[in-house]
Amino acid sequence: LEGINPDADLPAALEAWLRIGADLFGASGGLFELSGPSCGNETFVASFGLDERCVRAISGAGAGHGLLRLPIEVEFACDLARSDEYAGLLVRPFLESHGARAGLSLPVSSQRGLIGVARYLLPTAVVPGAVMRAQAGLLSQRFCGLVESRLVARRLRAAEGRLHSILHGAGEEIAAVGPDDHILEANEAMAGIFGCTREQLRGVALP
């Protein structure tokens, strides 16, 4: 996990983490779904090792579409045919025909609440031991940290974009000043007062 490029975009990072989790649990593939009001109603799906039909069969759960509920803790479906969650699903025979016999669901949370789920399809029925449960819990926490940090960064970039639009779209003189009274950013109107460029104003101390 530590070897994943920290600058990779979120879908690429999630796909790499899904691959690592699939290797760890012996899964045939995995799917991550981000969805819900706690993530600002953003929605996307990343997957590894699953064909498009399998992805479509189990996606939509995070949005509460009635397929698979969003788990609040790590959950093992040790045998899909006997699972309360999967047994009654119309897609279960389809998943089994694609080699899925068991499932693992990892909740993904942020400070605002549940924002998604990572799911793995396993080719054999499992009886998870203490080590496997601990590994699943740790991976769930790492998914949460990865997604939360990327969402925070994305919100920050959006806020900076809005600030930039306000700053440079205004006809009046505006400058953003740091706590040390140095100019962080200024618009063209402000730079015109001093007869310099915006770049030259950055870092200038106000009297």
mmCIF file of all heavy atoms in Angstrom, residues 5 27-28 34 47-48 62 127 141 144 148 155 162 167 172 184 196 198 202 206-207:
data_model
loop_
_atom_site.group_PDB
_atom_site.id
_atom_site.type_symbol
_atom_site.label_atom_id
_atom_site.label_comp_id
_atom_site.label_asym_id
_atom_site.label_seq_id
_atom_site.Cartn_x
_atom_site.Cartn_y
_atom_site.Cartn_z
ATOM 1 N N ASN A 5 1.570 5.353 -5.758
ATOM 2 C CA ASN A 5 1.936 6.737 -6.047
ATOM 3 C C ASN A 5 0.958 7.684 -5.357
ATOM 4 O O ASN A 5 -0.235 7.678 -5.663
ATOM 5 C CB ASN A 5 1.901 6.973 -7.568
ATOM 6 C CG ASN A 5 2.287 8.398 -7.947
ATOM 7 O OD1 ASN A 5 2.634 9.215 -7.094
ATOM 8 N ND2 ASN A 5 2.249 8.678 -9.231
ATOM 9 N N ALA A 27 -9.133 -13.032 -3.729
ATOM 10 C CA ALA A 27 -10.372 -12.687 -4.432
ATOM 11 C C ALA A 27 -10.152 -12.688 -5.938
ATOM 12 O O ALA A 27 -9.048 -12.431 -6.424
ATOM 13 C CB ALA A 27 -10.872 -11.322 -3.978
ATOM 14 N N SER A 28 -11.218 -12.968 -6.672
ATOM 15 C CA SER A 28 -11.142 -12.920 -8.128
ATOM 16 C C SER A 28 -11.212 -11.489 -8.634
ATOM 17 O O SER A 28 -10.815 -11.203 -9.764
ATOM 18 C CB SER A 28 -12.282 -13.743 -8.742
ATOM 19 O OG SER A 28 -13.543 -13.312 -8.232
ATOM 20 N N LEU A 34 -18.045 4.858 -4.628
ATOM 21 C CA LEU A 34 -18.189 6.087 -3.856
ATOM 22 C C LEU A 34 -19.545 6.682 -4.183
ATOM 23 O O LEU A 34 -19.874 6.903 -5.344
ATOM 24 C CB LEU A 34 -17.098 7.094 -4.228
ATOM 25 C CG LEU A 34 -17.185 8.466 -3.556
ATOM 26 C CD1 LEU A 34 -16.735 8.374 -2.104
ATOM 27 C CD2 LEU A 34 -16.314 9.475 -4.294
ATOM 28 N N SER A 47 -12.835 -0.545 -10.283
ATOM 29 C CA SER A 47 -12.870 -1.997 -10.144
ATOM 30 C C SER A 47 -11.550 -2.606 -10.575
ATOM 31 O O SER A 47 -10.748 -1.982 -11.281
ATOM 32 C CB SER A 47 -14.025 -2.594 -10.956
ATOM 33 O OG SER A 47 -13.815 -2.372 -12.339
ATOM 34 N N PHE A 48 -11.358 -3.861 -10.148
ATOM 35 C CA PHE A 48 -10.186 -4.624 -10.562
ATOM 36 C C PHE A 48 -10.595 -6.088 -10.704
ATOM 37 O O PHE A 48 -11.236 -6.655 -9.807
ATOM 38 C CB PHE A 48 -9.060 -4.519 -9.522
ATOM 39 C CG PHE A 48 -7.956 -5.518 -9.751
ATOM 40 C CD1 PHE A 48 -7.025 -5.292 -10.746
ATOM 41 C CD2 PHE A 48 -7.876 -6.683 -9.015
ATOM 42 C CE1 PHE A 48 -6.014 -6.222 -10.987
ATOM 43 C CE2 PHE A 48 -6.880 -7.615 -9.250
ATOM 44 C CZ PHE A 48 -5.943 -7.374 -10.230
ATOM 45 N N GLY A 62 -24.084 1.370 -3.065
ATOM 46 C CA GLY A 62 -23.748 2.508 -2.212
ATOM 47 C C GLY A 62 -24.779 3.613 -2.287
ATOM 48 O O GLY A 62 -24.938 4.405 -1.353
ATOM 49 N N VAL A 127 -14.193 -19.351 5.697
ATOM 50 C CA VAL A 127 -14.475 -19.225 7.120
ATOM 51 C C VAL A 127 -13.386 -18.312 7.663
ATOM 52 O O VAL A 127 -12.284 -18.772 7.976
ATOM 53 C CB VAL A 127 -14.462 -20.589 7.830
ATOM 54 C CG1 VAL A 127 -14.739 -20.404 9.316
ATOM 55 C CG2 VAL A 127 -15.487 -21.528 7.224
ATOM 56 N N GLN A 141 -9.781 0.582 6.989
ATOM 57 C CA GLN A 141 -9.302 1.863 7.525
ATOM 58 C C GLN A 141 -8.439 2.598 6.516
ATOM 59 O O GLN A 141 -8.531 3.821 6.378
ATOM 60 C CB GLN A 141 -8.514 1.616 8.808
ATOM 61 C CG GLN A 141 -9.356 1.113 9.969
ATOM 62 C CD GLN A 141 -8.513 0.746 11.171
ATOM 63 O OE1 GLN A 141 -7.314 1.019 11.221
ATOM 64 N NE2 GLN A 141 -9.125 0.103 12.147
ATOM 65 N N CYS A 144 -10.553 4.183 3.915
ATOM 66 C CA CYS A 144 -11.182 5.383 4.467
ATOM 67 C C CYS A 144 -10.217 6.556 4.437
ATOM 68 O O CYS A 144 -10.569 7.668 4.030
ATOM 69 C CB CYS A 144 -11.648 5.131 5.901
ATOM 70 S SG CYS A 144 -12.971 3.918 6.067
ATOM 71 N N GLU A 148 -10.830 9.841 2.090
ATOM 72 C CA GLU A 148 -11.074 11.090 2.806
ATOM 73 C C GLU A 148 -10.036 12.143 2.440
ATOM 74 O O GLU A 148 -10.379 13.304 2.191
ATOM 75 C CB GLU A 148 -11.068 10.840 4.318
ATOM 76 C CG GLU A 148 -11.174 12.093 5.182
ATOM 77 C CD GLU A 148 -12.522 12.799 5.081
ATOM 78 O OE1 GLU A 148 -13.402 12.300 4.352
ATOM 79 O OE2 GLU A 148 -12.686 13.838 5.724
ATOM 80 N N ARG A 155 -12.031 19.138 -2.446
ATOM 81 C CA ARG A 155 -12.832 20.273 -1.968
ATOM 82 C C ARG A 155 -11.986 21.530 -1.872
ATOM 83 O O ARG A 155 -12.449 22.638 -2.153
ATOM 84 C CB ARG A 155 -13.452 19.941 -0.615
ATOM 85 C CG ARG A 155 -14.478 18.813 -0.655
ATOM 86 C CD ARG A 155 -15.134 18.628 0.694
ATOM 87 N NE ARG A 155 -15.862 17.363 0.765
ATOM 88 C CZ ARG A 155 -15.521 16.346 1.533
ATOM 89 N NH1 ARG A 155 -14.463 16.440 2.328
ATOM 90 N NH2 ARG A 155 -16.228 15.242 1.531
ATOM 91 N N ARG A 162 -13.083 28.696 -6.769
ATOM 92 C CA ARG A 162 -14.119 29.714 -6.556
ATOM 93 C C ARG A 162 -13.502 31.041 -6.124
ATOM 94 O O ARG A 162 -13.922 32.116 -6.574
ATOM 95 C CB ARG A 162 -15.127 29.224 -5.515
ATOM 96 C CG ARG A 162 -16.012 28.081 -6.005
ATOM 97 C CD ARG A 162 -17.164 27.822 -5.056
ATOM 98 N NE ARG A 162 -16.708 27.352 -3.756
ATOM 99 C CZ ARG A 162 -16.529 26.077 -3.447
ATOM 100 N NH1 ARG A 162 -16.747 25.140 -4.346
ATOM 101 N NH2 ARG A 162 -16.120 25.729 -2.235
ATOM 102 N N LEU A 167 -11.878 36.612 -7.130
ATOM 103 C CA LEU A 167 -10.779 37.567 -7.059
ATOM 104 C C LEU A 167 -10.529 38.248 -8.396
ATOM 105 O O LEU A 167 -10.396 39.477 -8.480
ATOM 106 C CB LEU A 167 -9.513 36.839 -6.588
ATOM 107 C CG LEU A 167 -8.284 37.686 -6.304
ATOM 108 C CD1 LEU A 167 -8.539 38.614 -5.128
ATOM 109 C CD2 LEU A 167 -7.080 36.792 -6.009
ATOM 110 N N GLU A 172 -13.208 45.658 -8.727
ATOM 111 C CA GLU A 172 -12.584 46.430 -7.655
ATOM 112 C C GLU A 172 -11.263 45.801 -7.237
ATOM 113 O O GLU A 172 -10.974 44.651 -7.558
ATOM 114 C CB GLU A 172 -13.533 46.504 -6.454
ATOM 115 C CG GLU A 172 -14.849 47.185 -6.771
ATOM 116 C CD GLU A 172 -15.775 47.212 -5.562
ATOM 117 O OE1 GLU A 172 -15.451 46.543 -4.562
ATOM 118 O OE2 GLU A 172 -16.809 47.883 -5.633
ATOM 119 N N LEU A 184 -0.852 37.435 -0.323
ATOM 120 C CA LEU A 184 -0.814 36.087 -0.880
ATOM 121 C C LEU A 184 -1.213 36.079 -2.351
ATOM 122 O O LEU A 184 -0.640 35.344 -3.152
ATOM 123 C CB LEU A 184 -1.768 35.170 -0.098
ATOM 124 C CG LEU A 184 -1.494 35.014 1.403
ATOM 125 C CD1 LEU A 184 -2.585 34.167 2.045
ATOM 126 C CD2 LEU A 184 -0.126 34.398 1.634
ATOM 127 N N CYS A 196 2.443 47.472 -10.986
ATOM 128 C CA CYS A 196 3.267 46.270 -11.112
ATOM 129 C C CYS A 196 2.370 45.096 -11.503
ATOM 130 O O CYS A 196 1.164 45.272 -11.703
ATOM 131 C CB CYS A 196 4.008 45.984 -9.807
ATOM 132 S SG CYS A 196 2.904 45.684 -8.400
ATOM 133 N N ARG A 198 0.704 41.165 -10.824
ATOM 134 C CA ARG A 198 0.200 40.402 -9.668
ATOM 135 C C ARG A 198 1.321 39.564 -9.061
ATOM 136 O O ARG A 198 1.391 39.420 -7.831
ATOM 137 C CB ARG A 198 -0.953 39.496 -10.114
ATOM 138 C CG ARG A 198 -2.200 40.255 -10.502
ATOM 139 C CD ARG A 198 -3.378 39.321 -10.718
ATOM 140 N NE ARG A 198 -3.191 38.387 -11.808
ATOM 141 C CZ ARG A 198 -2.963 37.100 -11.681
ATOM 142 N NH1 ARG A 198 -2.901 36.552 -10.482
ATOM 143 N NH2 ARG A 198 -2.808 36.318 -12.743
ATOM 144 N N ARG A 202 2.915 39.468 -4.878
ATOM 145 C CA ARG A 202 2.894 38.346 -3.941
ATOM 146 C C ARG A 202 4.082 38.415 -2.990
ATOM 147 O O ARG A 202 5.232 38.602 -3.402
ATOM 148 C CB ARG A 202 2.932 37.012 -4.701
ATOM 149 C CG ARG A 202 1.694 36.731 -5.495
ATOM 150 C CD ARG A 202 1.660 35.304 -5.988
ATOM 151 N NE ARG A 202 0.575 35.089 -6.940
ATOM 152 C CZ ARG A 202 0.739 34.835 -8.240
ATOM 153 N NH1 ARG A 202 1.948 34.761 -8.737
ATOM 154 N NH2 ARG A 202 -0.307 34.666 -9.023
ATOM 155 N N LEU A 206 2.335 44.497 3.765
ATOM 156 C CA LEU A 206 1.535 45.707 3.828
ATOM 157 C C LEU A 206 2.000 46.583 4.993
ATOM 158 O O LEU A 206 2.404 46.074 6.033
ATOM 159 C CB LEU A 206 0.053 45.340 4.013
ATOM 160 C CG LEU A 206 -0.600 44.596 2.858
ATOM 161 C CD1 LEU A 206 -2.033 44.271 3.204
ATOM 162 C CD2 LEU A 206 -0.537 45.410 1.581
ATOM 163 N N PRO A 207 1.958 47.886 4.823
ATOM 164 C CA PRO A 207 2.399 48.789 5.900
ATOM 165 C C PRO A 207 1.434 48.716 7.072
ATOM 166 O O PRO A 207 0.273 48.420 6.936
ATOM 167 C CB PRO A 207 2.386 50.155 5.236
ATOM 168 C CG PRO A 207 1.458 50.023 4.060
ATOM 169 C CD PRO A 207 1.566 48.608 3.616
#
